[in-house]
Amino acid sequence: MMNHYLNDVKEDLLKEVGNIGMGNAASSLSFMLNERVNIQIPEVSIVSLGELPDNMGGAESVVAGVYVKVRGDVDLYMIFILPLKSALYIVETLTEGASSTMDELGCSAVMEVGNIVTAGYINAFADLTGFTLLPNPPSLAIDLSEAILGTILAEVEIVEDFVLLIKTVFETGQSKVEGYLSMIPDIDSFEVVYKTLLKGV
Amino acid sequence: MLAGILITDDTAFMRMTLKNILSKNGFDIVGEAADGLEAIDKYKSEKPDLVTMDITMPNMDGITAIKEIMSFDAGAKIIVCSAMGQKTLVIEALNAGAKDFIVKPFQPDRIVDAIHKVLSS
């Protein structure tokens, strides 16, 4: 069943898409924070819904989650999760001290960072495939990561009990900002991605 | 007289950032809009010399707003400021009438230079 969705060739392709997209997203984050951002090698996996929160920083931790639905030649979902401490650091840095809490301005700053980071991924993915991908405006939630992912997955209308997950972990050197960026493609519409990318091989 | 700018972006943080950059560089912020519909209304009421326009916004996206503003005023000067740097979108925005396209994140100089260039053309 799962092999239908993921084999070695497909996994490699998705890893490459992940590398380029995540690299672009990390560059954008680094530019905004004016600090070096390291990324772990993107992981591609089939994950059961129950395991998803543990893949995104732990079910029981309070996080800021930015969620973007992307439509176009393929449908996909981008999720950018920041532990609360990292989100607050970003707020203080980007607003130059005008806010240090998740108030209206703080939330707006985190949302914009989520928007730019996910766009970094989406733009690279669009360039690689030639697809046009149009994101909806981002949504932001501050909650336990389990609750946020539950809300997102309810909207995604996943019919299977597993998702295809491409994720990486961001980490800055000095400020210890961490972030988890994930792409959850609409698993069936993604066949078109494999076909497009394989043509170029 | 200072050139009047209308800032359009759905996030308050980005509006604040643009406002700070542009005010410091001698521009007059005549209005702020949080979506395409507001941008059209404020373009008509505030008559700005130039508009900065985000693309991904609720209610009405930036490309639709550019087309609407251009049909109302063919001489409108609009610069896109968006995180979406995909080629097809850049071309669509320029075809709709945008004079420049700046991909976020950007250096303050990039937007200030673009505005000077478009205003002097």
Side-chain angles (χ1 to χ4, degrees):
Chain A
M1 173 73 172
M2 290 194 188
N3 286 345
H4 168 64
Y5 292 112
L6 206 57
N7 56 32
D8 285 352
V9 176
K10 287 178 177 177
E11 192 178 327
D12 272 0
L13 278 175
L14 291 178
K15 268 190 186 153
E16 191 51 26
V17 172
N19 269 326
I20 296 169
M22 299 297 183
N24 213 30
S27 305
S28 296
L29 185 63
S30 162
F31 187 95
M32 283 184 282
L33 295 177
N34 196 20
E35 197 179 341
R36 186 175 163 163
V37 174
N38 298 313
I39 53 168
Q40 290 178 6
I41 294 170
E43 287 171 35
V44 177
S45 51
I46 299 276
V47 180
S48 75
L49 297 186
E51 291 169 332
L52 195 56
D54 284 332
N55 274 278
M56 305 284 287
E60 298 299 321
S61 42
V62 175
V63 297
V66 180
Y67 156 65
V68 182
K69 181 178 180 180
V70 182
R71 53 216 152 75
D73 293 321
V74 288
D75 291 343
L76 55 96
Y77 304 87
M78 299 292 308
I79 305 170
F80 188 50
I81 298 262
L82 290 159
L84 201 54
K85 203 176 150 199
S86 297
L88 290 173
Y89 176 83
I90 286 178
V91 169
E92 205 158 351
T93 307
L94 293 189
T95 65
E96 294 173 345
S99 171
S100 56
T101 59
M102 296 308 289
D103 56 7
E104 199 185 339
L105 181 63
C107 284
S108 161
V110 170
M111 195 134 88
E112 187 60 23
V113 167
N115 178 36
I116 292 176
V117 167
T118 53
Y121 186 98
I122 296 164
N123 290 343
F125 184 41
D127 278 351
L128 196 67
T129 51
F131 292 164
T132 297
L133 301 167
L134 301 165
N136 285 349
S139 312
L140 170 73
I142 315 282
D143 206 333
L144 295 176
S145 82
E146 193 173 41
I148 291 181
L149 291 166
T151 308
I152 294 169
L153 291 174
E155 195 182 319
V156 172
E157 291 172 0
I158 289 173
V159 285
E160 316 275 4
D161 58 356
F162 58 87
V163 291
L164 173 57
L165 177 72
I166 303 176
K167 74 152 188 180
T168 192
V169 181
F170 291 98
E171 234 169 20
T172 61
Q174 284 174 334
S175 58
K176 304 281 177 217
V177 168
E178 278 183 314
Y180 300 82
L181 180 63
S182 299
M183 177 178 84
I184 300 180
D186 178 79
I187 207 160
D188 290 317
S189 83
F190 233 61
E191 284 300 318
V192 64
V193 174
Y194 302 131
K195 281 183 193 140
T196 305
L197 291 174
L198 281 169
K199 258 188 241 162
V201 174
Chain B
M1 208 175 100
L2 300 179
I5 312 287
L6 169 64
I7 294 171
T8 314
D9 199 293
D10 59 333
T11 59
F13 164 71
M14 190 45 71
R15 292 198 301 275
M16 185 191 81
T17 304
L18 283 168
K19 200 170 163 179
N20 287 345
I21 295 171
L22 300 182
S23 304
K24 270 184 212 156
N25 282 277
F27 297 106
D28 180 22
I29 310 307
V30 296
E32 293 180 34
D35 62 39
L37 288 174
E38 262 191 63
I40 295 167
D41 281 348
K42 294 207 169 157
Y43 188 86
K44 290 177 180 170
S45 63
E46 307 302 327
K47 302 182 174 54
D49 297 299
L50 186 140
V51 182
T52 71
M53 183 72 75
D54 189 13
I55 289 188
T56 308
M57 294 183 289
N59 304 321
M60 183 191 279
D61 68 82
I63 290 182
T64 310
I66 294 171
K67 288 178 185 160
E68 295 276 331
I69 291 174
M70 295 304 292
S71 70
F72 167 77
D73 174 6
K77 292 177 171 176
I78 304 172
I79 292 179
V80 174
C81 199
S82 166
M84 298 310 301
Q86 296 166 42
K87 262 180 249 161
T88 49
L89 284 178
V90 175
I91 292 167
E92 201 181 339
L94 296 177
N95 283 342
K99 301 290 183 284
D100 201 348
F101 196 112
I102 294 168
V103 181
K104 297 175 191 169
F106 52 82
Q107 293 283 4
D109 288 354
R110 171 74 179 93
I111 182 105
V112 172
D113 290 350
I115 291 178
H116 281 303
K117 206 171 147 196
V118 169
L119 284 175
S120 65
S121 66

